[in-house]
Amino acid sequence: MADSQLIVKRGPFRSTWLRARKTRTQLVLSRRPRRRLGALRWCGRRRLRRRLLQAQAAGADWRESGCLVSRAATRRPKSAAPSRAPAAAPAPSGPASLPIPPVRPAGPGRALVLLPLEQGFTFSGICRVTCLYGQVQVFGFTISQGQPAQEVFSAYTHARLTINAVHYSMPEKSKKEMKREARALLRSHLNRDDRCWLMKNFSPLCSIVLLEQLKTSTVNFLVSHPGLSYVFVQESPTFQINSEHLALRSVGIRREKKKNGLRLTESALSAMEELVTVSCEVDGCPIILVCGSQDVGKSTFNRYLINQLLNSISCVDYLECDLGQTEFTPPGCISLLNITEPVLGPPFTHQRTPQKMVYYGKPSCKNNYENYIEIIKYVFSSYKRESPLIVNTMGWVSAQLCHLLLAARHCLMSALAACVLLTDKGLLLLVDLIRLLCPSHVVQFSSGRSKYMPNLTPDYVDDVDGLYTKSKSRVRNRGFRLAEFTESLEFADEEKESPVVFTGHKLMCVQSDFAFRKTPRNRESHNKVLRDLAVLGYLGQLQPPVPKPLCPLHGLTPYQVPFNAVALRIIHSDVAPTHILYAVNASWVGLCKILDDVRGYAHGPILLAQTPICDCLGFGICRGIDMEKRLYHILTPVPPEELRNVNCLLVGAISIPQCVFKSQRGLEGTVPYVTTDYNCKLPGASEKIGARETKETREDKVHPKPKLYRKVN
């Protein structure tokens, strides 16, 4: 009887012990090998890590098995009648044993991502995103099942994007009915094995996303230049060979940590929610002006807001007033665009054709504020007030608070009178813009690391003098009219009858927690890289569509433009007439349309005495000048029907990226236009020689490009 009881006690223990020994893989290190692990060299540790990752990819969950087997269960009992051992915990199965979110290869260049509710997948690279089941959100834009695929660009120059599973309304159904519905939707996209894997790991209110490889001619042109291949995908220094890494690499992306993804503060989300609500109202066409210091997230907020608005309305208007970091055009432009497609990437991935554009020619408006204001007036006159308008402004706004009487805190006017501000001209210019554009909402960004900027409340805007406007105390009327501003604006017939009255705006303060690594020392070089990428993104439109191979720029056929068909003007500096053609050759030119007729001139070149405010139809490169036939050779993606209207070429301080000159494929011998023997003393050869701005030095300084202009015989 005692023997039988002993057998009963020993049987379950031995079976449990044997089962634990079998589940324990040989790759789990015991205490003594773990001690020896510290003595391994770097190559030995890498081999061990490779074996562990290979085992995990093969299905051996060595981490879980190492945790489940306790130290007591691996020892042989010393007594003949040990106590009953606890049963081993069952191995986890289903979605809990998979990475969150789980990823599965679905063929060459395709991967499946199963997103549980309120989970995200942060990645870098480019891909085409299709929501097969459920609903996801990328950069504020919602993608539902049945909608077309969206091209997503997650670059290292900006915060990484995240695909988030969001809550979606669904009638009350059982899990079995949900699975049946999902299986029917997936049948036309996936094979049987992939559908079975998804149904095995299916959970209610989850979302199923298909990631596909994306190749565009613009991206291929960008990454073909040395030093720019890192923009979208960077290889990890760690050796990863698991199935997820291989599946994502075939798509052209890689998983990133959640902390590297885009994060918006609560104040930004609250302001965005209110703006979307106002824009969706009947006849809701607010004018939203976004302002703040540099590197606080204004452009990111604008993109996110555009995508949020496109979830509810069909189009959004966008007025670009930032010359250095433009969103949809090459730098140095003031433009008005009508956005109908989501913005799912950095600016150099979505260069678009504006409704109205003027080429200012410089990345900063310092020392030429009046022309900057006049151009904004000209472009803003094309706004039809049929959809919400987002106004992007420069980050050149700062003020230093010198003295404030604490006794006058209870009275706003007394505090303003007692406050002495050393105000930058950028802030005064912003006050003029608010009075000119009359926004309904002003979103002001601030950060603990940015310079001081006063709150642009309606009272503050009324009581401070701008560069070209006076304060309310001088005008003596709240509903004053700015004759010098409004006389050139073109309004509709019903709007001409009513006076332009500035009734104030609603200020929305947003505290930014935007993480950036730019400092005053490296900010200019970083912004220069972004401007070069925008120019390269525009030139990428010259490339043939995929799958055709890339064609170097010197292999493309340029347009021939006679001397007497277009007028010339150098915007940023004074150049002697004898050197005009040297300055135009191998330069970035704006293709513009002026009202004057230039066809009456028999010879050329035709030189303009003043810089006109005119429509810019696009941009191009002056590849060369043929003096015998008196022709300009222009390389541009502007279609021929638009080129017929071009009668003016404007040359500014925006230069062609140096990689275009030095890294073109197929060049043999001496590279044209590139030399170290460059005469910087010629007028127009550098910013300091022949520049019109003589009082101050521009903040956004552009270094002269090392090129030798082709001699004109």
Side-chain angles (χ1 to χ4, degrees), residues 24-38 40 44-45 48-49 51-52 62-63 65-67 69 74:
R24 185 179 183 182
T25 174
Q26 297 297 323
L27 295 176
V28 177
L29 300 179
S30 60
R31 183 173 58 182
R32 183 174 297 178
R34 281 199 301 269
R35 291 178 179 176
R36 295 177 180 177
L37 180 62
L40 288 178
R45 293 186 180 183
L48 178 60
R49 176 179 174 81
R51 291 178 59 196
L52 296 176
W62 54 275
R63 292 186 179 92
S65 60
C67 297
V69 181
T74 56

Side-chain angles (χ1 to χ4, degrees), residues 403-550:
H403 179 67
L404 180 63
L405 295 180
L406 298 179
R409 288 184 299 178
H410 63 282
C411 180
L412 176 62
M413 296 303 299
S414 300
L416 289 173
C419 176
V420 180
L421 289 175
L422 296 180
T423 309
D424 200 348
K425 290 184 178 180
L427 180 59
L428 302 180
L429 193 64
L430 180 59
V431 172
D432 287 340
L433 286 182
I434 294 176
R435 292 174 178 168
L436 167 64
L437 303 178
C438 190
S440 59
H441 297 77
V442 173
V443 182
Q444 181 176 349
F445 277 78
S446 60
S447 174
R449 292 166 291 185
S450 59
K451 295 182 180 180
Y452 170 76
M453 179 180 176
N455 290 335
L456 299 177
T457 60
D459 293 330
Y460 178 86
V461 175
D462 286 343
D463 296 322
V464 70
D465 290 340
L467 280 181
Y468 301 100
T469 59
K470 301 302 180 181
S471 63
K472 176 184 174 182
S473 59
R474 298 193 181 185
V475 178
R476 301 296 183 184
N477 185 10
R478 174 59 183 248
F480 60 90
R481 183 191 296 226
L482 298 179
E484 66 274 16
F485 273 178
T486 59
E487 61 183 3
S488 63
L489 294 179
E490 298 178 1
F491 297 102
D493 295 336
E494 63 274 7
E495 295 174 347
K496 290 181 179 179
E497 300 176 358
S498 59
V500 181
V501 178
F502 297 87
T503 58
H505 58 267
K506 181 176 182 180
L507 178 64
M508 309 177 72
C509 296
V510 174
Q511 184 65 26
S512 174
D513 194 18
F514 198 73
F516 59 93
R517 299 179 180 177
K518 286 186 284 185
T519 61
R521 179 175 298 180
N522 65 0
R523 178 180 288 112
E524 175 55 33
S525 60
H526 183 86
N527 293 340
K528 183 66 166 58
V529 171
L530 295 181
R531 288 195 290 267
D532 288 347
L533 287 173
V535 173
L536 292 175
Y538 185 85
L539 293 176
Q541 303 176 22
L542 289 165
Q543 298 298 324
V546 291
K548 295 182 180 180
L550 292 177

Side-chain angles (χ1 to χ4, degrees), residues 183-214:
R183 191 180 293 110
L185 291 173
L186 300 176
R187 187 171 290 113
S188 59
H189 299 277
L190 306 174
N191 56 31
R192 181 180 179 83
D193 293 339
D194 295 334
R195 296 198 305 270
C196 292
W197 178 82
L198 290 172
M199 293 302 102
K200 180 181 178 181
N201 303 287
F202 185 86
S203 61
L205 294 180
C206 69
S207 298
I208 301 173
V209 179
L210 176 63
L211 307 179
E212 298 176 285
Q213 188 181 35
L214 174 63

Side-chain angles (χ1 to χ4, degrees), residues 223-236:
V223 300
S224 65
H225 294 86
L228 297 181
S229 58
Y230 71 92
V231 171
F232 293 106
V233 177
Q234 295 182 0
E235 291 296 333
S236 175

Side-chain angles (χ1 to χ4, degrees), residues 13 77 85 115 266 359 656 702 711:
F13 169 76
L115 288 169
E266 291 295 332
Y359 185 43
I656 303 174
V702 181
K711 292 184 179 180

Side-chain angles (χ1 to χ4, degrees), residues 561-619:
V561 182
F563 278 8
N564 59 355
V566 293
L568 292 180
R569 176 64 178 173
I570 308 298
I571 299 175
H572 63 292
S573 62
D574 291 321
V575 180
T578 55
H579 294 149
I580 285 289
L581 295 182
Y582 290 93
V584 175
N585 198 14
S587 293
W588 182 256
V589 295
L591 310 178
C592 304
K593 176 185 177 182
I594 59 178
L595 298 179
D596 299 335
D597 191 2
V598 299
R599 292 177 296 179
Y601 296 88
H603 303 284
I606 305 171
L607 306 182
L608 296 177
Q610 294 181 351
T611 302
I613 297 179
C614 56
D615 294 344
C616 182
L617 306 181
F619 297 91

